[in-house]
Amino acid sequence: MTTFVRYTTRQQSKNMKQRLLSLVVLACTIFVCSARPAVDEQESRLRMNISEAQARSDEKGFYEASDNYLHYLLTKKKWEQYYEAWLDRITYNINQNHYFRSYADIKQMSQDIKEHHEEKYQYLAYIALGRYYNNQGNFELSEQHYRSALELTDSLSKPHLCVNLHLALADVASNTNRQRALDYLNHMEDMPKTLRQQASIFAQRCLIYD
């Protein structure tokens, strides 16, 4: 009986950590601003095609829909959405453990940013590298690239992105240095945060102190 109680307690603790980690991952999805310009019908349909392909685990369909969406944004010269969509594609590759394709896409994205003289979006390439190395367990390089992204981010015009980057940094640092992870969380104290971000900060603290 005692053994069962101990196992149940450990299992509940593990489940709680998994739920808390899910909150952190959810809030660490990087977005640039909370308000977007109105999206036209064609753009909405192209984005929906990507979501639908992901929902049915259709990898070929995902890449086709992603190619169409990227082509549309490039044609319209919607650079911010274009590079964010590219980051989403890279993140998908990382989550599918397509490491060679992920790294090739990151290099191509960085080159594309330079060719179009849109260096102000270079921080998105650094975010991609941070996610890439984090997924591979190379926490030092992941933290380094997230910090590079943060240095290129204007905290006044993109406050929520700054919070998410600090959350990502805290998540990575918690694997090697808990005090540094807490420092990243404490640094956000005076930053404006959404309710989801506040919940994620609390969840991250729980994970660090556990």
Side-chain angles (χ1 to χ4, degrees):
M1 179 66 177
T2 303
T3 303
F4 174 75
V5 171
R6 287 177 179 171
Y7 171 78
T8 302
T9 303
R10 287 198 301 269
Q11 188 64 32
Q12 288 174 338
S13 177
K14 181 180 179 181
N15 291 341
M16 179 61 74
K17 287 182 70 175
Q18 289 174 338
R19 287 195 293 271
L20 290 173
L21 184 58
S22 295
L23 272 175
V24 174
V25 171
L26 183 64
C28 282
T29 300
I30 305 297
F31 59 93
V32 175
C33 57
S34 56
R36 280 278 182 212
V39 178
D40 62 51
E41 186 177 340
Q42 184 178 358
E43 184 175 343
S44 296
R45 186 168 63 253
L46 289 169
R47 290 174 61 179
M48 182 63 67
N49 291 342
I50 295 175
S51 299
E52 289 174 351
Q54 285 182 289
R56 62 177 182 267
S57 300
D58 179 2
E59 189 168 296
K60 182 181 178 182
F62 169 83
Y63 289 120
E64 289 178 353
S66 177
D67 285 342
N68 291 335
Y69 185 46
L70 285 169
H71 177 72
Y72 169 82
L73 294 173
L74 179 61
T75 302
K76 297 292 184 178
K77 295 186 178 182
K78 294 186 174 184
W79 299 117
E80 186 170 23
Q81 293 97 314
Y82 174 63
Y83 292 117
E84 285 179 351
W86 209 332
L87 174 60
D88 289 340
R89 180 190 179 101
I90 292 167
T91 301
Y92 174 85
N93 287 332
I94 293 170
N95 291 337
Q96 299 298 317
N97 297 324
H98 298 326
Y99 294 121
F100 179 80
R101 180 181 288 174
S102 301
Y103 195 75
D105 274 356
I106 293 170
K107 289 183 68 176
Q108 187 180 351
M109 177 185 180
S110 297
Q111 186 61 35
D112 190 273
I113 288 171
K114 292 176 184 177
E115 288 178 358
H116 288 107
H117 306 291
E118 294 293 338
E119 283 81 1
K120 59 180 173 291
Y121 299 117
Q122 184 62 42
Y123 69 90
L124 291 168
Y126 283 126
I127 290 172
L129 284 166
R131 293 178 179 178
Y132 175 83
Y133 286 115
N134 185 32
N135 191 270
Q136 290 193 315
N138 192 331
F139 304 120
E140 183 178 349
L141 275 178
S142 177
E143 185 175 353
Q144 177 183 321
H145 286 99
Y146 278 136
R147 286 185 65 88
S148 295
L150 185 61
E151 288 170 4
L152 293 176
T153 302
D154 181 9
S155 60
L156 294 178
S157 62
K158 296 181 175 66
H160 297 307
L161 174 59
C162 285
V163 170
N164 282 337
L165 282 169
H166 277 87
L167 274 166
L169 283 163
D171 177 56
V172 172
S174 65
N175 294 284
T176 56
N177 189 316
R178 289 190 173 191
Q179 184 53 56
R180 190 161 71 250
L182 287 171
D183 289 342
Y184 284 128
L185 294 179
N186 293 335
H187 194 264
M188 292 186 283
E189 211 163 284
D190 297 327
M191 296 182 184
K193 294 174 281 291
T194 65
L195 290 175
R196 178 180 292 177
Q197 287 172 329
Q198 291 174 24
S200 297
I201 292 170
F202 174 76
Q204 186 66 63
R205 287 189 185 278
C206 292
L207 289 172
I208 292 171
Y209 282 119
D210 184 39

